[in-house]
Amino acid sequence: MEIAICPKCNDQEGIVKSGIVNNKQRYLCKRCAYHFTVRKVGKKIDNYYIVKAIQLYLEGLSLREIERVLGVSHSTISNWIKKYNIRKPDLNVYDPTYKIVTFEEMQAFLSNRDVYTDKGVIITELGSKFLVIRWNKAGGN
Ligand SMILES: [Zn+2]
């Protein structure tokens, strides 16, 4: 499932694909009936997506995973990484997993110490929701 965020109402659950315009995927937000493409806002790429994509890249997500989370194509993300000359430190001893959650789910997550004790956790906002990234030592549990 592909996840895009409505730039008008920040919804991300009622988003459906709605054709291709100028080689870009067009989406329809069923909640507010707004049509949008996620790669560009007017002629300029929305800085929000650039910052989020680079953050996620540095957290160890693959370009394909970032594409799934943000709805921005992996080749666009790859271009941003080159443009801003981003170099990722070697993180291959860790195995990141990620999950998009609501505010309530995030609170439930944080109230259970066992799920993050001895693990690395980063929570970042993503539209109206939150992205939880968790690292396990590779080969551990
Ligand atoms: Zn909307």
Side-chain angles (χ1 to χ4, degrees), residues 14-114:
I15 309 296
V16 292
K17 286 186 179 177
S18 178
I20 304 283
V21 180
N22 297 329
N23 291 320
K24 281 176 293 204
Q25 180 64 52
R26 186 174 182 243
Y27 295 92
L28 167 66
C29 173
K30 291 199 284 190
R31 185 169 149 196
C32 71
Y34 187 70
H35 282 278
F36 62 97
T37 55
V38 294
R39 289 176 61 185
K40 293 185 178 182
V41 174
K43 281 232 176 283
K44 199 171 164 288
I45 296 165
D46 189 338
N47 286 340
Y48 179 88
Y49 290 103
I50 301 176
V51 171
K52 283 294 162 196
I54 291 171
Q55 277 180 347
L56 298 180
Y57 175 73
L58 289 171
E59 303 308 352
L61 272 67
S62 72
L63 298 187
R64 298 273 177 185
E65 286 170 325
I66 302 167
E67 175 176 311
R68 273 201 300 279
V69 170
L70 294 182
V72 177
S73 84
H74 60 275
S75 56
T76 299
I77 299 162
S78 167
N79 288 339
W80 292 340
I81 288 162
K82 284 181 203 133
K83 180 178 172 189
Y84 295 103
N85 197 22
I86 303 299
R87 303 194 68 183
K88 182 165 62 173
D90 195 359
L91 287 173
N92 64 9
V93 293
Y94 290 100
D95 175 24
T97 57
Y98 65 93
K99 200 170 161 185
I100 293 167
V101 296
T102 63
F103 182 72
E104 290 73 22
E105 286 166 342
M106 180 185 69
Q107 286 182 312
F109 174 80
L110 291 176
S111 69
N112 179 4
R113 282 184 70 98
D114 291 346

Side-chain angles (χ1 to χ4, degrees), residues 6 8-11 29 31-34:
C6 175
K8 204 174 169 191
C9 73
N10 276 337
D11 192 43
C29 173
R31 185 169 149 196
C32 71
Y34 187 70

